[in-house]
Amino acid sequence: MTSNKNQAVLLGLLSALFFSFTFIFNRLMAVNGGSWIWSASLRFLWMLPIFFLIVFWRKNLGQLLKELQRHPIQWLLWSTVGFGLFYSTLTYAAAYGPSWLIAGTWQITIVAGLLLSPLLSQGTQTKGIPFSSFLYSALILLGIGMMQLSQAENLSIKELGTGTLPVIVAAFAFPLGNRKMMQLVDGRLDAYQRILGMLIGSLPFWILLVCVEWAGGQGLPSSSQALQTLAVAISSGLIATALFFSATNQVRKDEKSLAAVEATQASEVVFSLIGELVIFSPVFPGYYTLAGIGLVVLGMLLHSRKN
Protein backbone atom coordinates (compact mmCIF):
# COMPACT_ATOMS: atom_id res chain seq x y z
CA MET A 1 0.00 0.00 0.00
CA THR A 2 2.91 2.40 0.77
CA SER A 3 4.29 1.97 -2.76
CA ASN A 4 0.86 2.60 -4.28
CA LYS A 5 0.37 5.66 -2.10
CA ASN A 6 3.76 7.18 -3.04
CA GLN A 7 3.08 6.61 -6.72
CA ALA A 8 -0.41 8.05 -6.37
CA VAL A 9 0.93 11.16 -4.59
CA LEU A 10 3.51 11.70 -7.36
CA LEU A 11 0.77 11.42 -9.99
CA GLY A 12 -1.27 13.89 -7.96
CA LEU A 13 1.57 16.43 -7.97
CA LEU A 14 2.02 16.09 -11.74
CA SER A 15 -1.71 16.55 -12.24
CA ALA A 16 -1.59 19.72 -10.11
CA LEU A 17 1.07 21.17 -12.41
CA PHE A 18 -1.13 20.69 -15.46
CA PHE A 19 -4.29 21.71 -13.59
CA SER A 20 -2.71 25.08 -12.81
CA PHE A 21 -2.98 25.99 -16.49
CA THR A 22 -6.74 26.07 -15.95
CA PHE A 23 -6.52 28.99 -13.52
CA ILE A 24 -3.96 30.88 -15.60
CA PHE A 25 -5.79 30.57 -18.93
CA ASN A 26 -9.21 31.21 -17.40
CA ARG A 27 -7.88 34.42 -15.87
CA LEU A 28 -6.26 35.39 -19.16
CA MET A 29 -9.51 34.86 -21.08
CA ALA A 30 -11.50 36.79 -18.47
CA VAL A 31 -9.09 39.74 -18.54
CA ASN A 32 -9.35 39.82 -22.35
CA GLY A 33 -13.15 39.98 -22.19
CA GLY A 34 -13.94 36.35 -23.01
CA SER A 35 -17.25 34.89 -21.79
CA TRP A 36 -16.94 32.54 -18.83
CA ILE A 37 -19.63 30.33 -20.40
CA TRP A 38 -17.53 29.75 -23.53
CA SER A 39 -14.41 29.28 -21.37
CA ALA A 40 -16.18 26.52 -19.45
CA SER A 41 -18.19 24.77 -22.15
CA LEU A 42 -15.56 24.82 -24.92
CA ARG A 43 -13.04 23.00 -22.73
CA PHE A 44 -15.37 20.02 -22.30
CA LEU A 45 -16.62 20.12 -25.89
CA TRP A 46 -12.97 19.90 -26.99
CA MET A 47 -12.35 17.04 -24.56
CA LEU A 48 -15.25 14.91 -25.84
CA PRO A 49 -13.78 13.91 -29.26
CA ILE A 50 -10.29 13.58 -27.77
CA PHE A 51 -11.36 11.05 -25.16
CA PHE A 52 -13.73 9.32 -27.57
CA LEU A 53 -10.80 8.59 -29.88
CA ILE A 54 -8.62 7.43 -26.97
CA VAL A 55 -11.23 5.01 -25.62
CA PHE A 56 -12.14 3.82 -29.12
CA TRP A 57 -8.46 3.22 -29.97
CA ARG A 58 -8.02 1.25 -26.73
CA LYS A 59 -11.07 -0.86 -27.72
CA ASN A 60 -12.87 -0.02 -24.48
CA LEU A 61 -15.88 1.83 -25.87
CA GLY A 62 -18.29 -1.11 -25.71
CA GLN A 63 -17.67 -1.67 -22.01
CA LEU A 64 -18.29 2.02 -21.28
CA LEU A 65 -21.57 2.04 -23.21
CA LYS A 66 -22.79 -0.93 -21.16
CA GLU A 67 -21.99 0.93 -17.93
CA LEU A 68 -23.83 4.02 -19.20
CA GLN A 69 -26.89 1.91 -20.00
CA ARG A 70 -26.89 0.31 -16.54
CA HIS A 71 -27.22 3.59 -14.59
CA PRO A 72 -28.07 6.45 -17.01
CA ILE A 73 -29.64 8.74 -14.39
CA GLN A 74 -26.68 8.45 -12.02
CA TRP A 75 -24.22 9.11 -14.84
CA LEU A 76 -26.20 12.21 -15.82
CA LEU A 77 -26.51 13.49 -12.25
CA TRP A 78 -22.99 12.97 -10.94
CA SER A 79 -21.29 13.93 -14.21
CA THR A 80 -23.22 17.21 -14.14
CA VAL A 81 -22.09 17.78 -10.55
CA GLY A 82 -18.48 16.61 -10.98
CA PHE A 83 -17.82 18.30 -14.32
CA GLY A 84 -20.61 20.81 -15.02
CA LEU A 85 -21.21 22.46 -11.65
CA PHE A 86 -17.53 22.22 -10.75
CA TYR A 87 -16.05 23.93 -13.80
CA SER A 88 -18.78 26.46 -14.60
CA THR A 89 -18.47 28.01 -11.14
CA LEU A 90 -14.67 27.94 -11.34
CA THR A 91 -14.55 29.84 -14.64
CA TYR A 92 -17.17 32.32 -13.40
CA ALA A 93 -14.95 33.19 -10.44
CA ALA A 94 -11.93 33.79 -12.70
CA ALA A 95 -13.28 37.23 -13.63
CA TYR A 96 -13.04 38.43 -10.03
CA GLY A 97 -9.58 37.48 -8.82
CA PRO A 98 -6.03 36.54 -9.85
CA SER A 99 -5.35 32.95 -10.82
CA TRP A 100 -3.29 32.18 -7.71
CA LEU A 101 -6.14 33.41 -5.44
CA ILE A 102 -8.69 31.21 -7.24
CA ALA A 103 -6.24 28.30 -7.07
CA GLY A 104 -5.66 28.94 -3.36
CA THR A 105 -9.35 29.13 -2.53
CA TRP A 106 -9.88 25.97 -4.59
CA GLN A 107 -7.84 24.06 -2.01
CA ILE A 108 -10.96 23.96 0.15
CA THR A 109 -11.64 20.86 -1.94
CA ILE A 110 -9.21 19.02 0.37
CA VAL A 111 -11.42 19.78 3.36
CA ALA A 112 -14.50 19.05 1.27
CA GLY A 113 -13.16 15.59 0.50
CA LEU A 114 -12.68 14.91 4.22
CA LEU A 115 -16.14 16.14 5.13
CA LEU A 116 -17.72 14.04 2.40
CA SER A 117 -15.82 10.87 3.34
CA PRO A 118 -18.13 9.68 6.16
CA LEU A 119 -21.16 10.24 3.92
CA LEU A 120 -19.72 8.46 0.89
CA SER A 121 -17.64 5.66 2.44
CA GLN A 122 -18.56 2.25 1.05
CA GLY A 123 -16.19 -0.56 1.95
CA THR A 124 -13.26 1.78 2.67
CA GLN A 125 -10.82 1.42 5.54
CA THR A 126 -11.79 4.61 7.37
CA LYS A 127 -15.38 5.60 8.05
CA GLY A 128 -14.80 8.81 9.99
CA ILE A 129 -12.69 11.92 9.49
CA PRO A 130 -9.05 11.29 10.56
CA PHE A 131 -8.23 13.87 13.26
CA SER A 132 -4.72 14.51 11.95
CA SER A 133 -6.10 15.09 8.46
CA PHE A 134 -8.52 17.62 9.90
CA LEU A 135 -5.67 19.50 11.61
CA TYR A 136 -3.60 19.60 8.44
CA SER A 137 -6.62 20.82 6.51
CA ALA A 138 -7.10 23.57 9.10
CA LEU A 139 -3.63 24.86 8.16
CA ILE A 140 -4.72 24.99 4.54
CA LEU A 141 -7.90 26.89 5.45
CA LEU A 142 -5.88 29.35 7.54
CA GLY A 143 -3.56 29.91 4.58
CA ILE A 144 -6.53 30.52 2.29
CA GLY A 145 -7.91 33.02 4.78
CA MET A 146 -4.63 34.93 4.82
CA MET A 147 -4.56 35.06 1.02
CA GLN A 148 -8.12 36.37 0.99
CA LEU A 149 -7.14 38.95 3.60
CA SER A 150 -4.33 40.16 1.35
CA GLN A 151 -6.93 40.94 -1.33
CA ALA A 152 -9.46 42.60 0.98
CA GLU A 153 -7.93 46.05 0.48
CA ASN A 154 -8.16 45.82 -3.32
CA LEU A 155 -11.65 44.32 -3.70
CA SER A 156 -15.08 45.17 -2.34
CA ILE A 157 -16.94 42.65 -0.18
CA LYS A 158 -19.23 41.91 -3.14
CA GLU A 159 -16.30 41.30 -5.49
CA LEU A 160 -14.46 39.17 -2.92
CA GLY A 161 -17.59 37.10 -2.34
CA THR A 162 -18.28 36.71 -6.05
CA GLY A 163 -14.78 35.43 -6.59
CA THR A 164 -14.84 33.15 -3.55
CA LEU A 165 -18.30 31.57 -3.10
CA PRO A 166 -18.42 29.99 -6.59
CA VAL A 167 -15.01 28.41 -5.94
CA ILE A 168 -16.30 26.92 -2.69
CA VAL A 169 -19.20 25.37 -4.63
CA ALA A 170 -16.71 23.97 -7.15
CA ALA A 171 -14.51 22.64 -4.34
CA PHE A 172 -17.35 20.44 -3.06
CA ALA A 173 -18.80 19.52 -6.46
CA PHE A 174 -15.60 17.99 -7.88
CA PRO A 175 -14.80 15.43 -5.14
CA LEU A 176 -18.51 14.63 -4.75
CA GLY A 177 -18.96 13.84 -8.44
CA ASN A 178 -15.61 12.05 -8.69
CA ARG A 179 -16.17 9.83 -5.67
CA LYS A 180 -19.76 8.97 -6.57
CA MET A 181 -18.64 7.88 -10.04
CA MET A 182 -15.78 5.81 -8.57
CA GLN A 183 -18.32 4.05 -6.35
CA LEU A 184 -20.69 3.53 -9.26
CA VAL A 185 -18.16 1.85 -11.58
CA ASP A 186 -16.20 0.19 -8.71
CA GLY A 187 -12.98 -0.27 -10.72
CA ARG A 188 -14.70 -1.73 -13.80
CA LEU A 189 -13.61 1.25 -15.95
CA ASP A 190 -10.18 2.82 -16.36
CA ALA A 191 -9.55 6.56 -16.01
CA TYR A 192 -10.07 7.29 -19.72
CA GLN A 193 -13.38 5.42 -19.82
CA ARG A 194 -14.62 7.15 -16.69
CA ILE A 195 -13.68 10.59 -18.01
CA LEU A 196 -15.41 9.93 -21.34
CA GLY A 197 -18.47 8.64 -19.51
CA MET A 198 -18.63 11.81 -17.42
CA LEU A 199 -18.12 13.96 -20.53
CA ILE A 200 -21.10 12.25 -22.14
CA GLY A 201 -23.12 12.53 -18.93
CA SER A 202 -22.41 16.26 -18.56
CA LEU A 203 -23.02 17.04 -22.25
CA PRO A 204 -26.67 18.16 -21.75
CA PHE A 205 -25.48 20.69 -19.17
CA TRP A 206 -22.91 22.20 -21.53
CA ILE A 207 -25.38 22.34 -24.42
CA LEU A 208 -27.89 24.11 -22.17
CA LEU A 209 -25.23 26.59 -21.05
CA VAL A 210 -24.24 27.37 -24.66
CA CYS A 211 -27.92 27.86 -25.58
CA VAL A 212 -28.28 30.35 -22.73
CA GLU A 213 -25.22 32.24 -23.98
CA TRP A 214 -26.50 32.19 -27.55
CA ALA A 215 -29.98 33.37 -26.48
CA GLY A 216 -28.35 36.28 -24.67
CA GLY A 217 -26.96 37.52 -27.98
CA GLN A 218 -23.32 37.16 -26.97
CA GLY A 219 -22.30 35.50 -30.21
CA LEU A 220 -19.46 33.08 -30.88
CA PRO A 221 -16.15 33.09 -28.99
CA SER A 222 -13.07 34.67 -30.51
CA SER A 223 -10.47 32.50 -32.21
CA SER A 224 -8.06 33.35 -29.39
CA GLN A 225 -10.49 32.07 -26.76
CA ALA A 226 -11.16 28.94 -28.78
CA LEU A 227 -7.43 28.18 -28.96
CA GLN A 228 -6.90 28.89 -25.27
CA THR A 229 -9.75 26.58 -24.28
CA LEU A 230 -8.19 23.91 -26.50
CA ALA A 231 -4.92 24.37 -24.59
CA VAL A 232 -6.81 23.99 -21.31
CA ALA A 233 -8.60 20.91 -22.66
CA ILE A 234 -5.27 19.23 -23.47
CA SER A 235 -3.27 20.30 -20.40
CA SER A 236 -5.94 20.17 -17.71
CA GLY A 237 -8.70 18.15 -19.31
CA LEU A 238 -6.61 15.40 -20.87
CA ILE A 239 -3.27 15.20 -19.07
CA ALA A 240 -4.13 16.48 -15.58
CA THR A 241 -7.53 14.80 -15.28
CA ALA A 242 -6.18 11.44 -16.47
CA LEU A 243 -3.29 11.67 -13.99
CA PHE A 244 -5.55 12.65 -11.09
CA PHE A 245 -8.21 10.05 -11.84
CA SER A 246 -5.51 7.38 -12.10
CA ALA A 247 -4.04 8.50 -8.76
CA THR A 248 -7.37 8.46 -6.91
CA ASN A 249 -8.31 5.14 -8.48
CA GLN A 250 -5.10 3.52 -7.16
CA VAL A 251 -5.98 4.34 -3.54
CA ARG A 252 -9.78 4.42 -3.75
CA LYS A 253 -10.12 1.82 -0.95
CA ASP A 254 -7.97 3.79 1.53
CA GLU A 255 -9.48 7.06 2.76
CA LYS A 256 -6.20 8.29 4.30
CA SER A 257 -4.25 7.80 1.09
CA LEU A 258 -7.11 9.27 -0.91
CA ALA A 259 -6.99 12.40 1.27
CA ALA A 260 -3.22 12.64 0.69
CA VAL A 261 -3.67 12.46 -3.09
CA GLU A 262 -6.37 15.14 -3.00
CA ALA A 263 -4.08 17.25 -0.82
CA THR A 264 -1.42 17.35 -3.55
CA GLN A 265 -3.68 19.73 -5.43
CA ALA A 266 -2.60 22.45 -3.00
CA SER A 267 0.57 22.82 -5.09
CA GLU A 268 -1.60 24.34 -7.82
CA VAL A 269 -1.44 27.65 -5.98
CA VAL A 270 2.35 27.75 -6.30
CA PHE A 271 2.28 26.88 -10.00
CA SER A 272 -0.48 29.44 -10.60
CA LEU A 273 1.43 32.15 -8.73
CA ILE A 274 4.49 31.56 -10.90
CA GLY A 275 2.37 31.74 -14.05
CA GLU A 276 0.62 34.89 -12.81
CA LEU A 277 3.94 36.63 -12.21
CA VAL A 278 5.31 35.65 -15.62
CA ILE A 279 2.23 36.48 -17.71
CA PHE A 280 0.35 39.27 -15.96
CA SER A 281 2.46 41.30 -13.56
CA PRO A 282 6.02 41.61 -12.26
CA VAL A 283 4.66 42.75 -8.88
CA PHE A 284 5.53 40.21 -6.21
CA PRO A 285 2.81 39.26 -3.68
CA GLY A 286 2.85 40.76 -0.18
CA TYR A 287 3.76 39.13 3.11
CA TYR A 288 0.23 37.96 3.95
CA THR A 289 -0.05 36.28 0.56
CA LEU A 290 3.31 34.53 0.87
CA ALA A 291 2.54 33.39 4.41
CA GLY A 292 -0.84 32.09 3.27
CA ILE A 293 0.71 30.18 0.38
CA GLY A 294 3.30 28.76 2.78
CA LEU A 295 0.57 27.43 5.08
CA VAL A 296 -1.34 25.90 2.18
CA VAL A 297 1.76 24.10 0.93
CA LEU A 298 2.69 23.00 4.46
CA GLY A 299 -0.77 21.52 4.96
CA MET A 300 -0.43 19.69 1.65
CA LEU A 301 2.97 18.27 2.58
CA LEU A 302 1.74 17.09 5.98
CA HIS A 303 -1.20 15.36 4.31
CA SER A 304 1.13 13.63 1.87
CA ARG A 305 3.60 12.45 4.53
CA LYS A 306 0.95 11.17 6.94
CA ASN A 307 0.81 7.39 7.36
Side-chain angles (χ1 to χ4, degrees), residues 95-130:
Y96 298 95
S99 58
W100 59 263
L101 182 62
I102 303 299
T105 307
W106 164 247
Q107 304 316 314
I108 291 176
T109 192
I110 298 169
V111 182
L114 289 173
L115 295 176
L116 291 170
S117 292
L119 302 176
L120 301 179
S121 295
Q122 292 183 358
T124 53
Q125 294 181 9
T126 305
K127 296 290 184 180
I129 302 175

Side-chain angles (χ1 to χ4, degrees), residues 144-218:
I144 292 170
M146 293 184 69
M147 286 188 290
Q148 296 285 356
L149 181 63
S150 71
Q151 290 294 298
E153 298 179 354
N154 303 323
L155 301 174
S156 66
I157 295 178
K158 180 180 179 181
E159 290 174 325
L160 197 60
T162 306
T164 301
L165 294 179
V167 183
I168 296 176
V169 173
F172 277 86
F174 185 70
L176 176 59
N178 184 30
R179 291 189 180 202
K180 291 297 290 187
M181 291 313 305
M182 282 195 296
Q183 290 178 0
L184 184 65
V185 302
D186 194 26
R188 292 186 298 272
L189 302 179
D190 62 25
Y192 298 104
Q193 290 172 300
R194 185 152 55 94
I195 293 171
L196 177 59
M198 293 182 71
L199 287 170
I200 296 172
S202 64
L203 189 58
F205 175 83
W206 299 119
I207 293 175
L208 177 62
L209 209 59
V210 169
C211 288
V212 170
E213 180 76 352
W214 190 270
Q218 299 301 317

Side-chain angles (χ1 to χ4, degrees), residues 15 19 43-44 47 78-87 89-90 106 109-110 112-113 116 120 166-182 194-195 198 236-237 240-245 248 261-262 265 268:
S15 73
F19 269 133
R43 166 186 162 171
F44 287 89
M47 287 172 62
W78 298 118
S79 298
T80 299
V81 172
F83 276 2
L85 185 61
F86 145 65
Y87 199 66
T89 51
L90 205 61
W106 164 247
T109 192
I110 298 169
L116 291 170
L120 301 179
V167 183
I168 296 176
V169 173
F172 277 86
F174 185 70
L176 176 59
N178 184 30
R179 291 189 180 202
K180 291 297 290 187
M181 291 313 305
M182 282 195 296
R194 185 152 55 94
I195 293 171
M198 293 182 71
S236 299
T241 304
L243 288 171
F244 183 74
F245 274 32
T248 55
V261 170
E262 290 177 338
Q265 303 308 290
E268 292 169 6

Side-chain angles (χ1 to χ4, degrees), residues 23-40:
F23 304 104
I24 297 170
F25 278 109
N26 283 345
R27 181 59 176 169
L28 183 62
M29 287 183 282
V31 168
N32 291 332
S35 165
W36 68 269
I37 290 180
W38 282 119
S39 295

